[in-house]
Amino acid sequence: ANAAQQRYIEAVGKPEGFIVIFSAGNGVGKTAATIALIAAIIWPEITPLDCFAGSWIWANWPHPKDFRIISTPQEIGEGGSIQREIKKWFPKNKYTANKNGKTYFSQYLAKDFTINLMSYDMAPEAFEGATNGLVVFNEPPPKSIFNACAARMRRGGRLLLPGTPLMDAAW
């Protein structure tokens, strides 16, 4: 991990961390660090990276095990950075991926964790309902989607915002 990624990972691992922003330029490794972080939460027993050492959160995720990763349609699609990083960081044969009627894998199941991939072009109502323990906004979200997701954190968790704030960040 580079220094910026390390600070981000440490901030997520702190007990008081609820909203963690990783604002940086392109190419810093925001998406890679986020997907590696999710892998460390799901599979702490096989996470070899020293950068995850020392935090209580990796060994025993205390929040709901329903996660969301939300981004642009291009980034969650088959050729997008999120799918590429999942293939890189998630251990082979330790998860299942489902398309659920979409053209890309939109849901990952691993152990007792569920990760749903959603896009900013979905209606805000699509983000209501479920109680989540981790929501990743890969790039700054529209305010209506952020509010709907923040309200889903009824039993604790983390809201992560790795992104380059070029659009929709001013609110």
Side-chain angles (χ1 to χ4, degrees):
N2 63 43
Q5 291 171 322
Q6 188 62 47
R7 286 190 304 273
Y8 171 60
I9 290 165
E10 289 170 2
V12 174
K14 291 181 179 178
E16 66 274 10
F18 175 59
I19 298 174
V20 181
I21 299 172
F22 185 6
S23 179
N26 292 328
V28 172
K30 299 175 300 292
T31 303
T34 301
I35 301 302
L37 190 148
I38 292 170
I41 291 169
I42 298 172
W43 299 283
E45 69 279 3
I46 61 172
T47 302
L49 302 175
D50 291 342
C51 60
F52 296 103
S55 176
W56 61 274
I57 208 165
W58 315 122
N60 185 22
W61 183 253
H63 309 296
K65 295 180 179 180
D66 290 309
F67 295 179
R68 287 182 176 168
I69 301 172
I70 309 164
S71 192
T72 64
Q74 298 82 5
E75 289 300 308
I76 62 172
E78 283 304 311
S81 65
I82 293 170
Q83 300 286 352
R84 286 193 313 269
E85 294 299 331
I86 287 172
K87 288 176 187 168
K88 179 179 177 181
W89 292 101
F90 283 20
K92 290 181 181 19
N93 303 317
K94 298 271 186 192
Y95 65 91
T96 58
N98 303 306
K99 290 189 174 181
N100 295 330
K102 306 231 180 349
T103 59
Y104 58 90
F105 291 113
S106 64
Q107 184 180 68
Y108 289 85
L109 305 169
K111 294 172 132 179
D112 51 351
F113 289 85
T114 301
I115 304 163
N116 289 300
L117 275 59
M118 302 174 78
S119 101
Y120 292 134
D121 66 351
M122 298 171 75
E125 299 81 35
F127 297 90
E128 297 174 356
T131 297
N132 295 118
L134 179 75
V135 176
V136 175
F137 300 100
N138 191 55
E139 301 303 336
K143 187 174 185 180
S144 60
I145 292 174
F146 177 85
N147 287 342
C149 291
R152 309 285 68 91
M153 308 303 284
R154 294 179 272 251
R155 293 184 16 223
R158 301 284 185 277
L159 296 173
L160 308 183
L161 291 100
T164 305
L166 299 175
M167 313 254 318
D168 290 325
W171 63 263

